[in-house]
Every structure is written in structure tokens, then in C-alpha cells.
Amino acid sequence: MHGAGKGIAFVICGPSGAGKNSVIKRVMEILPGLSFSVSYTTRPRRAEEHAGVDYNYISQQEFDRLIADGELIEHVTYLGDRYGTSRAQIEEVFIRGEDVILNIDVTGARRLRQKGLVDFPAVYIFLTPSSLDQLHDRLKIRGTEDKNEIKRRLNVAKEEMDALWLFDYLVINDEFEVAVDELRSIIITERCRLVDDHG
């Protein structure tokens, strides 16, 4: 709970391979009162991922139902797979008096900026390596995409970096511990804010 007595949604975006999940996980180990919004997705689960922890993996039909029932506050299609954020999950976190971290893509962040987020303040943070070359190397090391997939993700990353104006903060993840400390500092700063001016 921050200065104004409401939960805050920390919306974190960045290119695929930027290290968002690792930074978020470490910050959540350090700071109390944070919950992670587990998105729905139609993409297959990767070997190292866990259902209900990394994503909620569902069918196309179930995704359509969530949209029709108004259960998603935002949803996007990224490289052919669909992703969405649960309204109920975020509201439950706020009821507990905690803050929530959303790891979503730039299109989803843009939509949230336009329509607001369930009447609670949101802080928009872009997390990225300092160059596309670094991003390419990380995707290659990760080993979950082939050359064509890496090329597609880098093309999307270029477009995402053109949307920096959407965000309140920029975190450069060239050194893991530095990025962790910067994100931690942003969260502490926003929790201490007396006046909410987030859109």
C-alpha cells in the first residue's frame, strides 16, 4: 500500500529476451507486498515454465470466452499467440492492499494507458537492454527460438522501442543487479508518493 492508500499496478514492458521475468522475480524476493499478475496465453508452455506461475495456458476457445465475458482488462496477439490480463486477479490483489506487477507487451500497455486500469493508479516501466545486438545475443543464448523467430522478435523490438513515450520510467538491463536495484527504487518511490497523477 502506498502513500494514497491504494494499490499500484506496475506495468512492465520490454522486448522479448530483455530479462523482464528475471528482474521482476528478484525484486519480488526483495520487496514485500507485491503480487505478480499471471497472464492468460494460448501459446504452448516452454519446458522451464510452470502453469499458473509463468502463465495460465488455455485454448483459443477459452480465450474467446474470457473476452466475451469481459474478464480481461487487456488482450493482444503477439507473433500469432494471444495474451490477456485477468481483471479479477488484479482486483483481488488490490483488495488485499498489495501492489501488482503486470508483465505485458507495448500494445497492451498502450490500451491500458488509453482506458485506465480498474480505477487504480498505474506506473509504466520499459525494461530493455541498451542495444538490439545485446537482445539478439540473449535470444540466441536462450535457445527457445530459431533464427527466423529471433528475427521476428527483433523486428517487433524495434517497433516497441519507438513507443518509449508511453512510459514513466526506463530501466536498462545490461547489468542484472543494477536493473533490479533500479526497479526496486522505482517501486519504493511510487509507494511514497503523496499525490497520484498516473493515468
Side-chain angles (χ1 to χ4, degrees):
M1 200 177 294
H2 74 308
K6 295 179 180 178
I8 308 171
F10 292 97
V11 180
I12 300 177
C13 302
S16 176
K20 299 184 297 295
N21 286 330
S22 298
V23 173
I24 289 169
K25 181 180 178 182
R26 181 66 184 129
V27 169
M28 291 185 67
E29 290 171 353
I30 297 169
L31 283 180
L34 286 170
S35 288
F36 183 71
S37 171
V38 182
S39 298
Y40 290 102
T41 185
T42 60
R43 81 156 168 77
R45 182 176 64 85
R46 294 176 184 150
E48 74 279 6
E49 293 177 337
H50 302 281
V53 177
D54 297 288
Y55 289 97
N56 293 307
Y57 302 92
I58 60 175
S59 67
Q60 296 282 359
Q61 293 76 14
E62 180 67 5
F63 202 96
D64 288 335
R65 185 195 66 76
L66 292 174
I67 294 172
D69 291 347
E71 293 185 25
L72 302 179
I73 61 168
E74 63 84 27
H75 58 90
V76 299
T77 300
Y78 177 82
L79 298 180
D81 297 311
R82 302 163 80 186
Y83 299 83
T85 301
S86 165
R87 180 184 305 277
Q89 186 183 139
I90 291 176
E91 289 176 345
E92 287 172 8
V93 172
F94 287 156
I95 287 171
R96 294 199 302 268
E98 294 182 348
D99 300 321
V100 65
I101 291 181
L102 285 70
N103 179 358
I104 63 176
D105 82 345
V106 169
T107 300
R110 183 182 287 110
R111 291 176 180 171
L112 290 181
R113 270 285 200 201
Q114 290 170 349
K115 69 179 184 179
L117 182 64
V118 292
D119 300 322
F120 283 85
V123 177
Y124 293 82
I125 303 159
F126 195 81
L127 189 150
T128 181
S130 58
S131 71
L132 288 172
D133 287 340
Q134 285 221 29
L135 197 60
H136 174 271
D137 291 344
R138 291 185 190 185
L139 288 170
K140 191 173 179 181
I141 291 169
R142 187 163 77 176
T144 55
E145 295 89 11
D146 60 25
K147 288 182 179 179
N148 289 332
E149 182 72 8
I150 288 174
K151 185 176 179 180
R152 291 172 68 197
R153 288 179 182 270
L154 288 174
N155 287 335
V156 171
K158 291 177 186 176
E159 296 175 5
E160 290 176 331
M161 288 177 178
D162 288 337
L164 278 177
W165 58 272
L166 279 169
F167 297 89
D168 303 310
Y169 296 94
L170 173 65
V171 174
I172 300 296
N173 185 21
D174 284 349
E175 296 183 36
F176 178 72
E177 291 301 335
V178 173
V180 167
D181 191 55
E182 288 181 356
L183 180 55
R184 181 188 66 84
S185 298
I186 290 167
I187 293 171
I188 291 171
T189 298
E190 291 297 330
R191 284 176 167 177
C192 294
R193 185 186 292 273
L194 292 175
V195 178
D196 292 323
D197 57 2
H198 313 110

